[in-house]
Amino acid sequence: MTVYRCEDSLESVFTAIYLAYEEKRDHMDTCISLTKDPILFAEDVYVMPDQEKMNKVMRSLYRIFGEKDYMSLCMALASQDMGKAQAVYRTVVNGLSARCEAGHLFDNLSNDEVHRAFALARGVGREIGHLREFIRFEELKNGLLCAKINPKNNVIGFLMPHFSDRLPQENFMICDEQRGIFAIHPAGQQWYLFYGGEQELELSFALSAEEQEYQELFRYFCHKIAIEERKNLKLQQGMLPLRYRKNMTEFLHNK
Amino acid sequence: MEYLNVGQDLPLMEKLGILANSAKYDVACTSSGVNRKGNGVDMGNCVAAGICHSFSSDGRCISLLKILLTNECIYDCKYCLNRCSNDVPRATFTPDEICRLTVEFYRRNYIEGLFLSSGILNSPSFTMELIYRTILLLRRKYRFNGYVHVKAIPGADPELIYRTGFLVDRMSINLELPTAEGLRTLAPNKHRKNILTPMRQIQNTITENKNDLVLYRNAPAFVGGGQATQMIIGATPENDYQILSVAENLYQKFDLKRVFYSAFVNVTGDKQLPALPGGPPLLREHRLYQADWLLRFYGFRAEELLDEKRPFFNVLLDPKEDWAVRHLDQFPVEINRAPRELLLRVPGVGVKSANRIVAARRNANLTFVDLKKLGVVLKRALYFITCSGRMMYPVKLEEDYIVRNLTEEQERIRFGNDGMSYRQMSLFDVGSFDQPVTVTDKIQAAAGQL
Ligand code: SF4
């Protein structure tokens, strides 16, 4: 058995998939691992992430399976689940050997590995969907809009296209506090990711003069729009899980 | 145009409170139906599936800044907080205030756009013109490219409705009450004809506009997200069958995108209105939404679900289960062979899972374990399906037995100690069940997975 040992990144996992094909491995006897857990009687291969190999794999997957399924694979790899690399690898192997056409990579859900990757992508997709809804920007003194998130999965890169499209002329930034990743969108330009601490960004998080007023207006609006006779906190919680609320304006009180 | 009298100089906070409070009973407020990418310059885009941004303490989605332009009103609809005979604080936004709130809320990702309705100030046309000017300002000066939904005011100059239609994503006119009779008693200033005429006008313009868009790709879109309406449920004595038939008609004859149902809340205490001691008829509203979904996505017709002899929905079973147990001759359905239309009629199988079944069975013969992975709710489906000729458990295809099982395990409704199974609900007693609607029900309904 061959085990490709990867780090937790798209680059690394896609490089491993490239290698598995290039080195003509028996796919049933090969796996990709993101952990250091030893596997008995296995030959460990440490993968050096390689941008060119990654690009080749990504382009092929995109071409063969279509945009939607390709995105699902990428989303699965953003999951916090460490079995994701293996699930994605096997799904790709399954799709290529069954000659799945674009949009049909995840048809075969009775296959466990395919289902696993599908479920991971769905979970990540759900969190992306939630954050699109629940992210709250605050306006800082210099006009920059800043949002903080604490997602389970590494979704920041999936959020940026959405917000860049809708706020093209704003300077805005999303910070994944746990992972220390900052996604930055300068007005009118392409967004990029920045890894590191807040110090390096030299940011002051002081709010603009108007910010407080709009926060208050929105809180008041949320309060007024509810119908007392229909009060149903359980339903509210089902739709808006508690874990998001610590970064949401309407659930915070005056600072 | 002369702009305005009282309630103009209140602080913004106070106005927002009054005008959100008066708008909250309007339910037709999703942000769905339009896909519009950003243009790189203006603020905003639209996502067809719609985006909720928050949920208020009643569990309803907050997607748009839902406000009235003014709660002044010359009419006297009996069910409405803003009726002219009611003594409530009045306020009116200036167009600039509305634009500023919309844009500032939008950039902070509080909302998806604006939902603007209004009481009738001076006259329908006067009000409609104010709405038109506000949206024009929002689009042109504030360069807002996000979602906008406005109410068309019945009785307003058609030209104003026409011009407004090119600025907004969705327009709706409230039917208010399901029948002309109901309207006469509770909204004496409104007439069914005045509501249906502009509805028809909007429908016709949408159709013409679609043809124009085929010819000239850059023609401006008219009400791109389609038309919607809402009905108040439980203020007048119509039965569910009547209401659902009206909805079906609206979908078929007026091409409406959505019909919304709003459980009546008695806010005025008018003598002609039902008192509803048990609260608004939420279960009834919920059943109507479920049935509405069955009409739009599952290929059901109103008269399959209800008829003159059974004009109310079953309290215990959702409309699809109810239909299924009354049509046991059509079951069980073989998962590995049945056409999609039939799969859609199985309780516990939603549109998505039906599609997944059709895709997955090309690769393998599906088993019950597989169905679970495909998102089928086996608890409900197992009475109605076979996999390769076998049922999951030996179950009797017998109405009473299935009903008992479906209702036992769900326990989704707490009901009186009469142990009723098929009692039809009388009109106003639905509210006496407390909070029957479960979270999963709502989420499934929202996702179209009944
Ligand atoms: S027209 Fe009727 S429903 Fe509308 S605001 Fe006036 S009184 Fe209320």
Side-chain angles (χ1 to χ4, degrees):
Chain A
M1 176 129 166
T2 315
V3 182
Y4 287 104
R5 300 278 177 184
C6 293
E7 60 184 56
D8 184 3
S9 73
L10 283 187
E11 198 173 351
S12 184
V13 175
F14 282 138
T15 304
I17 293 179
Y18 183 93
L19 293 176
Y21 275 89
E22 191 189 49
E23 293 164 3
K24 295 206 167 51
R25 302 284 177 178
D26 171 4
H27 297 300
M28 299 319 277
D29 198 36
T30 306
C31 67
I32 301 183
S33 170
L34 298 181
T35 65
K36 298 205 166 69
D37 302 344
I39 298 175
L40 278 184
F41 308 116
E43 171 207 356
D44 282 340
V45 181
Y46 289 88
V47 175
M48 283 291 289
D50 179 325
Q51 194 150 18
E52 201 176 313
K53 292 189 170 108
M54 165 180 85
N55 286 338
K56 278 186 184 162
V57 171
M58 286 172 122
R59 267 199 302 272
S60 316
L61 296 178
Y62 188 99
R63 185 170 44 78
I64 299 169
F65 300 128
E67 178 177 354
K68 189 160 158 279
D69 288 348
Y70 161 77
M71 281 305 283
S72 295
L73 291 173
C74 295
M75 279 199 253
L77 287 177
S79 168
Q80 59 177 348
D81 183 311
M82 282 299 136
K84 61 190 178 180
Q86 177 66 2
V88 164
Y89 169 49
R90 296 310 286 269
T91 301
V92 169
V93 168
N94 180 75
L96 290 176
S97 67
R99 297 180 187 282
C100 287
E101 287 171 24
H104 293 277
L105 178 60
F106 293 97
D107 277 4
N108 190 7
L109 284 180
S110 60
N111 176 311
D112 283 335
E113 305 280 1
V114 175
H115 180 253
R116 178 116 191 256
F118 171 80
L120 291 178
R122 189 176 49 186
V124 172
R126 209 171 277 151
E127 190 168 42
I128 295 169
H130 273 147
L131 283 169
R132 268 188 202 176
E133 306 179 342
F134 303 147
I135 272 194
R136 296 288 177 260
F137 288 105
E138 295 185 307
E139 191 184 63
L140 305 185
K141 276 235 162 63
N142 54 9
L144 176 75
L145 293 170
C146 175
K148 294 177 180 154
I149 57 174
N150 294 277
K152 287 185 187 153
N153 307 297
N154 188 5
V155 295
I156 200 166
F158 294 93
L159 294 170
M160 290 307 282
H162 173 76
F163 288 105
S164 308
D165 187 60
R166 68 172 37 186
L167 303 173
Q169 297 303 324
E170 299 277 358
N171 291 307
F172 70 86
M173 174 173 93
I174 301 176
C175 342
D176 182 331
E177 294 187 302
Q178 299 292 315
R179 293 181 180 78
I181 307 177
F182 298 78
I184 298 167
H185 175 272
Q189 294 172 45
Q190 183 60 38
W191 60 274
Y192 59 91
L193 292 177
F194 178 90
Y195 298 80
E198 276 165 30
Q199 326 68 289
E200 293 168 63
L201 278 173
E202 289 178 14
L203 257 184
S204 138
F205 282 94
L207 300 180
S208 75
E210 284 190 329
E211 179 58 25
Q212 205 58 259
E213 184 196 344
Y214 284 110
Q215 294 196 3
E216 209 45 58
L217 282 164
F218 184 56
R219 270 192 283 273
Y220 193 50
F221 172 74
C222 290
H223 170 66
K224 280 292 181 184
I225 209 73
I227 298 180
E228 189 53 35
E229 291 86 341
R230 301 182 61 123
K231 189 161 183 163
N232 189 344
L233 294 178
K234 251 194 164 153
L235 178 59
Q236 182 192 29
Q237 198 176 321
M239 304 307 268
L240 206 171
L242 294 174
R243 70 185 173 94
Y244 293 104
R245 297 190 187 180
K246 68 171 180 185
N247 292 317
M248 294 178 73
T249 313
E250 61 271 42
F251 295 100
L252 301 174
H253 296 290
N254 261 335
K255 284 180 189 160
Chain B
M1 187 158 80
E2 252 325 286
Y3 193 78
L4 259 209
N5 31 21
V6 279
Q8 277 269 39
D9 38 5
L10 295 173
L12 191 55
M13 184 74 87
E14 213 163 306
K15 283 190 187 180
L16 181 64
I18 294 172
L19 294 167
N21 188 49
S22 329
K24 70 184 172 192
Y25 300 102
D26 218 303
V27 288
C29 57
T30 63
S31 55
S32 57
V34 184
N35 244 338
R36 180 167 63 235
K37 291 212 65 95
N39 58 18
V41 185
D42 301 332
M43 177 185 298
N45 62 16
C46 296
V47 178
I51 297 183
C52 295
H53 283 269
S54 193
F55 291 86
S56 46
S57 56
D58 49 21
R60 298 187 310 157
C61 142
I62 298 176
S63 179
L64 303 171
L65 172 62
K66 182 164 61 169
I67 46 174
L68 299 191
L69 191 146
T70 177
N71 68 339
E72 301 276 347
C73 192
I74 54 172
Y75 287 175
D76 203 32
C77 307
K78 302 218 157 63
Y79 48 82
C80 176
L81 206 57
N82 309 320
R83 58 189 289 191
C84 60
S85 61
N86 213 9
D87 184 20
V88 288
R90 306 274 170 177
T92 300
F93 277 125
T94 65
D96 263 303
E97 285 169 336
I98 294 177
C99 295
R100 247 179 55 220
L101 278 175
T102 307
V103 167
E104 292 299 335
F105 278 14
Y106 191 86
R107 42 195 296 266
R108 290 169 172 79
N109 205 40
Y110 298 166
I111 53 167
E112 222 22 45
L114 173 66
F115 171 99
L116 190 60
S117 179
S118 184
I120 315 286
L121 188 64
N122 294 349
S123 73
S125 288
F126 184 87
T127 314
M128 196 66 219
E129 174 139 19
L130 280 180
I131 292 178
Y132 168 70
R133 287 176 169 220
T134 306
I135 306 302
L136 192 67
L137 192 73
L138 183 64
R139 292 292 198 209
R140 297 283 151 78
K141 183 171 156 214
Y142 287 82
R143 310 212 55 115
F144 179 71
N145 193 34
Y147 198 89
V148 176
H149 176 168
V150 298
K151 291 275 152 181
I153 307 290
D157 181 354
E159 174 65 21
L160 284 168
I161 293 181
Y162 180 80
R163 275 193 275 156
T164 310
F166 284 103
L167 298 174
V168 302
D169 296 294
R170 175 164 284 176
M171 220 185 312
S172 58
I173 301 173
N174 285 351
L175 200 59
E176 308 290 10
L177 297 157
T179 57
E181 181 56 39
L183 205 59
R184 250 194 307 281
T185 23
L186 295 188
N189 310 92
K190 294 185 177 171
H191 305 283
R192 184 80 153 191
K193 192 175 129 270
N194 283 356
I195 294 174
L196 294 181
T197 309
M199 213 182 247
R200 182 69 79 197
Q201 180 204 343
I202 295 172
Q203 177 198 13
N204 290 341
T205 318
I206 290 177
T207 317
E208 282 164 28
N209 179 245
K210 280 203 181 122
N211 295 336
D212 287 352
L213 285 172
V214 174
L215 283 176
Y216 320 99
R217 280 223 349 255
N218 294 327
F222 181 88
V223 191
Q227 198 180 177
T229 193
Q230 77 161 344
M231 292 184 250
I232 302 168
I233 303 306
T236 41
E238 292 89 358
N239 60 40
D240 293 343
Y241 180 48
Q242 281 172 300
I243 297 171
L244 197 64
S245 307
V246 170
E248 186 171 52
N249 247 302
L250 291 169
Y251 285 128
Q252 288 172 354
K253 306 230 168 85
F254 287 84
D255 266 338
L256 287 204
K257 263 275 145 62
R258 286 295 300 273
V259 175
F260 292 86
Y261 311 89
S262 169
F264 175 61
V265 181
N266 191 337
V267 286
T268 56
D270 190 284
K271 278 197 277 316
Q272 268 176 280
L273 297 169
L276 302 178
L282 294 178
L283 173 60
R284 201 172 166 209
E285 176 196 277
H286 180 61
R287 288 281 181 259
L288 280 164
Y289 275 116
Q290 291 179 313
D292 185 89
W293 234 276
L294 294 180
L295 296 185
R296 290 186 297 137
F297 303 115
Y298 289 76
F300 281 89
R301 281 169 294 121
E303 75 257 21
E304 286 184 277
L305 300 171
L306 297 171
D307 53 48
E308 300 289 353
K309 285 197 222 94
R310 306 177 52 264
F312 286 98
F313 285 113
N314 194 315
V315 186
L316 301 171
L317 300 176
D318 73 39
K320 199 179 182 188
E321 291 168 340
D322 190 34
W323 178 85
V325 294
R326 287 185 293 112
H327 293 84
L328 289 178
D329 53 309
Q330 313 215 7
F331 297 101
V333 161
E334 169 54 45
I335 289 291
N336 286 299
R337 270 196 316 275
R340 182 174 173 278
E341 306 84 70
L342 250 185
L343 293 175
L344 283 176
R345 295 200 160 215
V346 177
V349 177
V351 172
K352 272 193 189 156
S353 36
N355 292 343
R356 285 183 198 141
I357 290 172
V358 173
R361 69 188 180 188
R362 288 197 202 107
N363 296 300
N365 233 344
L366 301 179
T367 64
F368 286 99
V369 179
D370 295 333
L371 290 186
K372 203 160 187 171
K373 290 192 224 153
L374 302 180
V376 173
V377 185
L378 282 176
K379 277 205 297 195
R380 291 198 233 166
L382 69 92
Y383 308 97
F384 307 100
I385 53 175
T386 56
C387 283
S388 311
R390 302 185 135 197
M391 297 198 87
M392 190 165 164
Y393 307 119
V395 293
K396 284 183 272 183
L397 262 183
E398 195 186 282
E399 187 167 339
D400 283 349
Y401 169 81
I402 297 178
V403 169
R404 214 174 326 116
N405 280 288
L406 280 174
T407 47
E408 242 167 43
E409 97 210 350
Q410 287 171 351
E411 253 200 34
R412 58 173 87 159
I413 297 162
R414 274 193 270 146
F415 42 102
N417 46 14
D418 62 357
M420 64 181 177
S421 54
Y422 269 111
R423 202 191 77 180
Q424 277 175 357
M425 45 185 171
S426 70
L427 190 51
F428 295 122
D429 70 359
V430 194
S432 59
F433 307 113
D434 59 1
Q435 300 306 351
V437 183
T438 64
V439 174
T440 30
D441 267 355
K442 274 275 175 170
I443 294 173
Q444 283 171 342
Q449 301 271 91
L450 286 180

